[in-house]
Amino acid sequence: MRMRDLGVGFGYLMKGQRWVAGHGRWFGFGLLPGLVTLVLYTAALVGLVLGADDVTAWATPFADDWSSPWLGIFRGTLTALLFAFGLFVAVITFTAVTLLVGQPFYENLSEQVDRSEGGDVPHSGLPLWRELWISARDSLRIVLRVVFYGVLLFACGFIPVVGQTVVPVLGFCVSGFFLAEELTAVALQRRGVELKERLALLRGRRMRTLGFGVPLTLAFLVPFVAVFLMPGAVAGATLMARDLVPDPAAGPDPTADPDPARPGPYTFRKTDQAD
């Protein structure tokens, strides 16, 4: 059952990429925010690479008198962990910042996916400034959670064997979970689902969420890939959100677990079924 759920989550990701491949105008529309954010993050990561050695030396003055090769090994390990931590945070915050920068773009893209799939298109009914504020607030809360887990995993990285095997796997799972939360938030916010409820929904479909988020996290580690996958990721997350919180008129989700927890009511506005 768990392996099946992983496959279902990965299927959302693939369906989203196929959706934007079949709607080229929306694919190009969704690239713009990612390109802007990529430039900013590339500059930040280059700065981290150039300054990581100095930061490590500044943080470990007690090791200045250590003999070779222990000084090099110790600080080299810390420098690698510092960069890994920065990359870990960058993978998560990239999505949050891109979604914030491209809020109007991705809202329209997500609505178009809902429209093309049939049924009514949900709308929050909030003005744009209010949606931006909620998105920024929730993104900050997610980033704080990510930083907490990142620091915890960073510390666990010093545990022999476990730090080099189990910890990286846990890091990718944490990244994948919160990456999926950020992406599904675009569609779930329009359905009136608050952050606490979104996290509960995703925890209730943990394996499905990881099946969607972990492969995307791994793909985002490849330069420029995140930019080109973002439109399809938003589309796939919208398809996933449609199953997490389906249109009441559509009936129950046949792939859902028995008696799943559901959030409060949300609103729909009927629109034309235009492509």
Side-chain angles (χ1 to χ4, degrees), residues 1-254:
M1 180 65 178
R2 290 187 175 184
M3 292 302 296
R4 176 179 175 273
D5 283 341
L6 284 174
V8 171
F10 185 70
Y12 289 125
L13 182 58
M14 293 295 98
K15 289 177 183 177
Q17 300 303 323
R18 287 197 296 269
W19 191 93
V20 295
H23 300 76
R25 181 170 67 90
W26 289 97
F27 175 70
F29 187 74
L31 286 179
L32 297 177
L35 289 172
V36 173
T37 310
L38 178 65
V39 172
L40 298 176
Y41 270 70
T42 300
L45 287 175
V46 168
L48 179 62
V49 170
L50 295 177
D53 289 336
D54 293 335
V55 172
T56 302
W58 170 80
T60 58
F62 57 85
D64 288 342
D65 297 329
W66 288 14
S67 61
S68 180
W70 304 115
L71 176 60
I73 292 174
F74 176 68
R75 285 184 171 168
T77 301
L78 286 182
T79 299
L81 288 173
L82 177 62
F83 180 75
F85 175 69
L87 194 60
F88 170 82
V89 174
V91 169
I92 298 299
T93 58
F94 178 88
T95 304
V97 173
T98 302
L99 290 174
L100 185 60
V101 170
Q103 179 79 11
F105 294 84
Y106 294 131
E107 283 282 349
N108 289 334
L109 173 60
S110 180
E111 288 181 12
Q112 187 65 25
V113 173
D114 270 325
R115 186 173 295 113
S116 69
E117 291 297 305
D120 297 332
V121 178
H123 289 268
S124 66
L126 298 174
L128 178 60
W129 71 266
R130 180 65 177 170
E131 290 183 348
L132 289 173
W133 162 249
I134 293 174
S135 179
R137 180 198 65 190
D138 290 349
S139 293
L140 179 60
R141 291 175 177 175
I142 291 298
V143 168
L144 290 177
R145 285 175 167 85
V146 170
V147 170
F148 169 77
Y149 284 113
V151 171
L152 182 62
L153 291 171
F154 180 81
C156 292
F158 292 99
I159 302 175
V161 182
V162 173
Q164 293 73 49
T165 54
V166 177
V167 170
V169 174
L170 290 177
F172 281 118
C173 289
V174 170
S175 298
F177 180 87
F178 286 113
L179 183 59
E181 192 286 325
E182 287 286 349
L183 289 165
T184 54
V186 176
L188 291 177
Q189 281 179 3
R190 290 191 291 107
R191 289 161 165 81
V193 185
E194 298 291 337
L195 175 61
K196 183 178 179 180
E197 295 170 325
R198 295 200 301 268
L199 291 173
L201 279 171
L202 294 177
R203 282 195 295 267
R205 307 286 197 283
R206 185 174 285 107
M207 298 305 292
R208 190 174 301 189
T209 302
L210 294 179
F212 178 86
V214 172
L216 198 57
T217 299
L218 293 171
F220 276 17
L221 295 177
V222 181
F224 305 110
V225 167
V227 174
F228 292 98
L229 290 184
M230 270 298 290
V234 172
T238 300
L239 296 173
M240 184 175 177
R242 288 174 61 87
D243 287 343
L244 288 173
V245 186
D247 181 348
D253 173 16

Side-chain angles (χ1 to χ4, degrees), residues 253-265:
D253 173 16
T255 64
D257 298 329
D259 300 322
R262 294 297 184 193

